[in-house]
């Protein structure tokens, strides 16, 4: 029975040792491929190593490096973050992982600084924080200090440029608004002028209509006076004719002597 237990223990140790050798062997193979610039093949081996031991710091760190070389910066940051938190990593290794996280963020910012400045600013800020965290763990890395200064400078320049662009946009918007206000004021002024002109025209038309009506009324009154005068003149003439005719008839009338008689002409 003791022999059986002893064999089981030996087999367990052997299997554990073999498994350990497998994930380390995969990581070493990945390192060889990485040195040959075969980053995709190296990635496969590092992932195989982590599939057997997900906490293996060196595989996490080197997988991050392989992804960085492939410009897959977001994924690379993920594995550098795991490496920075690994229990078996020492201060220098954690600092290096954080340094590489900063490099990934910096590269992300550089890639979009011309097309998406706001996103680039966030990436630069992330890079600055990662470099600072790296230096908090270990301040002996001069490369980290240099990259931190560069990231801060890039961040400052882009923020100033963005502020200038925003100010220019604001100034342009203000100018456009002022132009619109001036245009609207001019339109209102023109409308008021048109209304005043219309009112003046209407007033002139009303005055002209009144003058025409007054003139027409005067003409009608004059015409009526003329007609009345003509009628009066006609009546006077008619009366005169009647009087004249009456006088003529009276002159031509045969007078009969009083008490006499008319002798007949036999």
């Amino acid at each position: 029975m003791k022999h059986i237990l002893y064999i089981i223990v030996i087999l367990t140790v052997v299997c554990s040792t073999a498994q350990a050798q497998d994930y380390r062997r995969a990581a070493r193979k990945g390192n060889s491929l990485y040195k040959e610039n075969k980053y995709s093949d190296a990635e496969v081996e590092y992932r195989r190593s982590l599939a057997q031991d997900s906490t293996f710091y060196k595989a996490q760190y080197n997988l991050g490096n392989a992804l960085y070389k492939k410009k897959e910066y977001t994924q690379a940051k993920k594995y550098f973050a795991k490496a920075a938190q690994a229990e078996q990593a020492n201060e220098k290794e954690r600092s290096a992982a954080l340094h590489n996280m900063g490099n990934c963020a910096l590269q992300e910012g550089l890639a979009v600084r011309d097309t998406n400045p706001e996103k680039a600013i966030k990436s630069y800020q992330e890079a600055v924080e990662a470099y600072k965290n790296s230096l908090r763990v270990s301040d002996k890395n001069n490369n980290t200090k240099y990259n931190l200064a560069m990231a801060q400078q890039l961040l400052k320049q882009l923020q100033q440029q963005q502020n200038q662009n925003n100010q220019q946009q604001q100034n342009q918007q203000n100018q456009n608004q002022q132009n619109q206000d001036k245009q609207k004021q001019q339109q209102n002024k023109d409308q008021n002028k048109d209304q005043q002109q219309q009112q003046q025209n209407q007033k002139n038309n009303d005055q002209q209509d009144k003058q025409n009506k007054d003139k027409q009324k005067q003409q009608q009154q004059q015409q009526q006076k003329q007609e009345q005068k003509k009628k009066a003149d006609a009546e006077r003439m008619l009366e005169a004719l009647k009087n004249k005719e009456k006088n003529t008839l009276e002159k031509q009338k045969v007078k009969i002597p009083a008490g006499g008689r008319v002798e007949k002409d036999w």
Side-chain angles (χ1 to χ4, degrees):
M1 186 66 176
K2 292 182 180 180
H3 291 290
I4 295 175
L5 292 175
Y6 178 76
I7 293 173
I8 292 174
V9 171
I10 293 298
L11 290 174
T12 302
V13 172
V14 170
C15 291
S16 299
T17 303
Q19 184 178 2
Q21 292 299 324
D22 286 341
Y23 78 80
R24 290 181 181 277
R25 187 180 300 109
R28 287 195 296 270
K29 185 176 180 180
N31 293 342
S32 298
L33 293 168
Y34 183 92
K35 291 177 181 179
E36 296 174 4
N37 299 329
K38 297 179 180 179
Y39 304 119
S40 294
D41 294 336
E43 176 189 354
V44 172
E45 296 301 326
Y46 292 138
R47 290 187 182 279
R48 181 178 291 118
S49 175
L50 291 173
Q52 299 176 37
D53 185 354
S54 61
T55 64
F56 187 32
Y57 159 80
K58 292 183 179 181
Q60 292 171 339
Y61 181 83
N62 290 342
L63 176 56
N65 286 332
L67 292 169
Y68 180 88
K69 289 293 186 178
K70 294 175 64 178
K71 298 183 180 181
E72 297 179 13
Y73 303 119
T74 301
Q75 285 295 315
K77 285 190 297 184
K78 175 181 175 181
Y79 287 97
F80 285 135
K82 289 183 177 182
Q85 297 173 359
E87 294 182 357
Q88 67 269 32
N90 56 36
E91 289 184 357
K92 182 178 179 180
E93 291 169 338
R94 287 199 301 272
S95 179
L98 291 168
H99 172 95
N100 286 354
M101 286 180 63
N103 290 346
C104 290
L106 186 63
Q107 291 295 338
E108 287 178 328
L110 292 171
V112 298
R113 62 181 177 180
D114 295 329
T115 58
N116 193 341
E118 293 181 356
K119 184 176 181 180
I121 287 175
K122 292 181 180 179
S123 295
Y124 290 155
Q125 290 172 336
E126 183 181 354
V128 168
E129 189 61 27
Y131 291 135
K132 286 182 178 180
N133 289 334
S134 175
L135 292 173
R136 290 188 185 104
V137 175
S138 176
D139 61 354
K140 297 178 181 180
N141 193 332
N142 291 329
N143 289 335
T144 304
K145 295 177 182 179
Y146 175 83
N147 286 6
L148 172 59
M150 182 174 63
Q152 290 174 328
Q153 182 65 23
L154 290 172
L155 175 61
K156 181 179 179 180
Q157 290 176 351
L158 190 55
Q159 285 177 331
Q160 290 177 344
Q161 179 181 346
Q162 192 68 4
N163 290 335
Q164 290 176 354
N165 292 338
N166 292 337
Q167 186 62 44
Q168 289 177 354
Q169 291 178 357
Q170 185 63 42
N171 293 339
Q172 185 63 43
Q173 290 176 356
N174 292 339
Q175 185 63 41
N176 292 339
Q177 185 64 43
Q178 289 177 359
N179 292 337
Q180 290 177 0
D181 292 341
K182 288 182 180 179
Q183 185 177 5
K184 187 174 181 180
Q185 290 176 356
Q186 186 62 39
Q187 289 176 349
N188 293 335
K189 185 177 180 180
D190 293 341
Q191 289 177 355
N192 292 335
K193 185 177 180 180
D194 291 341
Q195 290 177 354
Q196 291 176 355
Q197 186 64 41
Q198 290 176 359
Q199 291 175 354
Q200 185 62 39
N201 292 339
Q202 185 63 40
K203 185 177 180 180
N204 293 338
N205 291 335
D206 293 342
Q207 290 178 348
Q208 186 64 40
D209 291 342
K210 186 176 183 302
Q211 291 176 356
N212 292 336
K213 288 180 180 179
D214 292 343
K215 185 176 180 180
Q216 185 177 6
K217 185 177 180 180
Q218 290 177 356
Q219 291 175 348
Q220 289 176 351
Q221 290 176 348
Q222 290 177 356
Q223 185 176 1
Q224 288 176 355
K225 288 180 179 180
Q226 291 175 356
E227 290 177 354
Q228 289 176 356
K229 183 178 180 182
K230 288 180 180 179
K231 184 177 180 181
D233 292 342
E235 289 178 350
R236 283 195 300 268
M237 291 178 62
L238 181 61
E239 185 66 25
L241 289 173
K242 287 181 179 181
N243 292 333
K244 184 178 181 181
E245 182 179 357
K246 182 178 179 180
N247 293 332
T248 301
L249 289 175
E250 288 179 352
K251 290 179 180 181
Q252 293 178 355
K253 184 177 179 181
V254 178
K255 295 183 179 180
I256 301 175
R261 60 179 182 148
V262 178
E263 295 291 337
K264 291 183 181 182
D265 187 11
W266 303 101

